[in-house]
Amino acid sequence: MNSVASSLAGNGRETTIATAMAECFKNEMGSPVPPIYQASLFTFDTYEALVARFREESDHPLYSRVDNPTVREFERLFAKAERAERSAGFASGISAIAGAILSVVNAGDRIICVRNIYPDTYRLLERVLVRFGVTTTYHSVAELEDNPQIYAGARLAVLESPVSVTFEMLDLEKVVSHARAHGVTTMIDNSWATPINQLPLASGIDLVVHSASKYISGHSDTVAGVVSGSNAMMEPVINTIVPLLGAKLAPLDAWLLLRGLRTLELRVNRHGASATVIAQRLAQHRLVDRVNFAKPGDTPTLTGSSGLLSFELNERADIRSFCNALEIARLGVSWGGFETILFPASAGQQQKSERNSLNEFGVPENLVRLSVGLENVDEIWADIDQALGKSCP
């Protein structure tokens, strides 16, 4: 196995995520698949049982906005995969990001954030939190690693590693050292690496968020998010943010995520292997100036690659012609599913009526993000290669 997360401690031995899943669902009916508790509320047989629940003397489920057995099972297993004490499921990746941030910051606080952050995280910071006097300063990877003074007076560091679009890697242990020296809480989006290829909590990161719509689901049929951390860090997330924001993960989506966890390691390894081949071939193509692809060795915490990368076309290639010539790969805004998806930065830069991180941080117009799917790698490359050929008159 090429992953620090390929095994999970349990019962005095090491088990893979897939084995842990199989062990979780042994039950009296013999079903290897967990039930979906598609219920808005859960009833009680007696007054005493209801009172015990409100006194927190019972873990009987109460209301699906607060807790649900199917959601609870996903949260329990995902915490095990992330090596966290607790996890909380959310209705989307951005609601998980918002929930994590709101569990930490207060009005008037300052956030430090890595440049080229996920565009909707940027919009959350610049369009919503700014209303409450929360200010954000944006910093390069080099600044976050080598300039401890930027942490002074901040409340929260919002991180990605690798960084969206450019796929630069952070040295998490350096960042954590600077943050702790200044009393700054750290939060990282780990959607790209998943627990298979990176375990940020082991490096001292306080909160880890995922857009579970991506690799955790893996089938392009679920919108979900998840936040993980220690009991202390998760207490306000679980007891305040989840019930009062109302962005709770739904039972059916939790069930689909449990399905996705069963094959997560296999899929991520396949995505990464195929992306490595595609990245190497793109780097040798006459119409490609640069390939941005995170890989093991770029930072001590990364043990494998996923299927997401970007590349920059040179001036001889026409992006519109390239995109329209694709036959297997499709165009779309998300990633992490079984299908190969491309997203040209120039399309995202057309978004109107708001500041956009793709414009704000000078992402090149000739950059294309590529999510390498589970199709045959030679067929994926043949499609990209023929489309590149048609992009250059």
Side-chain angles (χ1 to χ4, degrees):
M1 300 284 183
N2 67 345
S3 164
V4 294
S6 63
S7 61
L8 301 169
N11 300 321
R13 58 194 173 90
E14 297 293 312
T15 60
T16 64
I17 290 176
T19 303
M21 289 290 292
E23 292 174 350
C24 284
F25 304 129
K26 292 177 181 177
N27 55 74
E28 67 276 7
M29 300 299 293
S31 171
V33 180
I36 305 173
Y37 288 86
Q38 192 65 43
S40 61
L41 83 161
F42 299 88
T43 60
F44 296 79
D45 291 335
T46 65
Y47 174 85
E48 289 79 7
L50 180 62
V51 169
R53 175 62 180 83
F54 276 92
R55 288 177 175 171
E56 298 182 359
E57 297 170 354
S58 163
D59 63 355
H60 188 288
L62 179 70
Y63 185 53
S64 282
R65 177 166 58 82
V66 178
D67 67 316
N68 174 282
T70 311
V71 175
R72 187 187 296 171
E73 184 63 15
F74 165 71
E75 293 171 339
R76 187 187 71 80
L77 186 62
F78 192 80
K80 193 173 184 180
E82 194 73 81
R83 306 291 177 89
E85 291 180 336
R86 297 288 299 275
S87 291
F90 283 80
S92 66
I94 191 61
S95 65
I97 292 167
I101 293 173
L102 290 173
S103 74
V104 175
V105 300
N106 298 306
D109 281 343
R110 181 170 71 87
I111 294 172
I112 58 175
C113 182
V114 67
R115 287 168 58 93
N116 294 314
I117 195 79
Y118 170 53
D120 278 346
T121 302
Y122 176 82
R123 295 183 186 105
L124 172 69
L125 297 172
E126 296 298 327
R127 299 184 64 193
V128 179
L129 292 182
V130 71
R131 300 178 186 177
F132 305 98
V134 176
T135 58
T136 304
T137 56
Y138 299 90
H139 304 275
S140 68
V141 167
E143 288 177 313
L144 287 165
E145 290 180 348
D146 301 327
N147 186 0
Q149 293 309 309
I150 65 173
Y151 295 83
R155 176 72 172 125
L156 174 69
V158 176
L159 310 168
E160 293 178 352
S161 186
V163 181
S164 291
V165 185
T166 59
F167 299 97
E168 300 168 274
M169 293 296 302
L170 278 168
D171 186 323
L172 297 186
E173 293 184 357
K174 278 187 177 181
V175 171
V176 167
S177 176
H178 299 326
R180 286 184 172 175
H182 290 87
V184 178
T185 301
T186 50
M187 182 200 95
I188 193 168
D189 187 329
N190 199 38
S191 303
W192 182 95
T194 80
I196 300 302
N197 289 326
Q198 185 168 253
L199 291 169
L201 294 174
S203 296
I205 294 291
D206 294 305
L207 289 170
V208 179
V209 299
H210 287 264
S211 173
S213 318
K214 310 301 194 290
Y215 288 125
I216 306 305
S217 165
H219 292 74
S220 298
D221 57 8
T222 311
V223 175
V226 59
V227 182
S228 303
S230 67
N231 287 327
M233 291 302 306
M234 292 300 296
E235 191 279 331
V237 176
I238 291 171
N239 293 327
T240 301
I241 300 300
V242 166
L244 299 184
L245 240 60
K248 181 67 173 176
L249 180 63
L252 177 58
D253 290 323
W255 185 85
L256 290 170
L257 294 177
L258 283 164
R259 171 208 60 183
L261 280 177
R262 286 179 158 175
T263 60
L264 178 63
E265 188 167 7
L266 294 171
R267 289 184 291 100
V268 168
N269 287 342
R270 170 64 179 266
H271 283 297
S274 294
T276 299
V277 173
I278 299 297
Q280 291 169 347
R281 294 178 182 178
L282 282 169
Q284 298 170 2
H285 200 283
R286 64 186 180 87
L287 297 179
V288 176
D289 278 348
R290 179 183 177 91
V291 177
N292 306 303
F293 181 53
K295 57 189 181 302
D298 289 349
T299 186
T301 57
L302 188 66
T303 61
S305 295
S306 78
L308 195 67
L309 58 101
S310 66
F311 59 95
E312 298 170 26
L313 298 175
N314 62 39
E315 60 186 11
R316 292 176 290 173
D318 178 70
I319 287 184
R320 178 180 297 184
S321 299
F322 166 67
C323 291
N324 289 340
L326 293 166
E327 297 176 355
I328 295 175
R330 306 297 299 272
L331 303 177
V333 298
S334 194
W335 48 272
F338 55 84
E339 68 286 339
T340 295
I341 297 287
L342 290 93
F343 181 73
S346 57
Q349 290 167 341
Q350 303 302 313
Q351 201 160 10
K352 297 179 179 179
S353 303
E354 62 181 80
R355 294 168 66 190
N356 187 311
S357 60
L358 293 172
N359 290 318
E360 197 72 16
F361 300 122
V363 173
E365 289 188 1
N366 63 340
L367 183 143
V368 178
R369 188 184 67 191
L370 168 63
S371 175
V372 178
L374 298 177
E375 305 96 337
N376 178 278
V377 66
D378 291 325
E379 293 179 359
I380 297 172
W381 173 248
D383 187 34
I384 293 172
D385 189 36
Q386 66 83 24
L388 284 170
K390 292 177 181 178
S391 74
C392 181

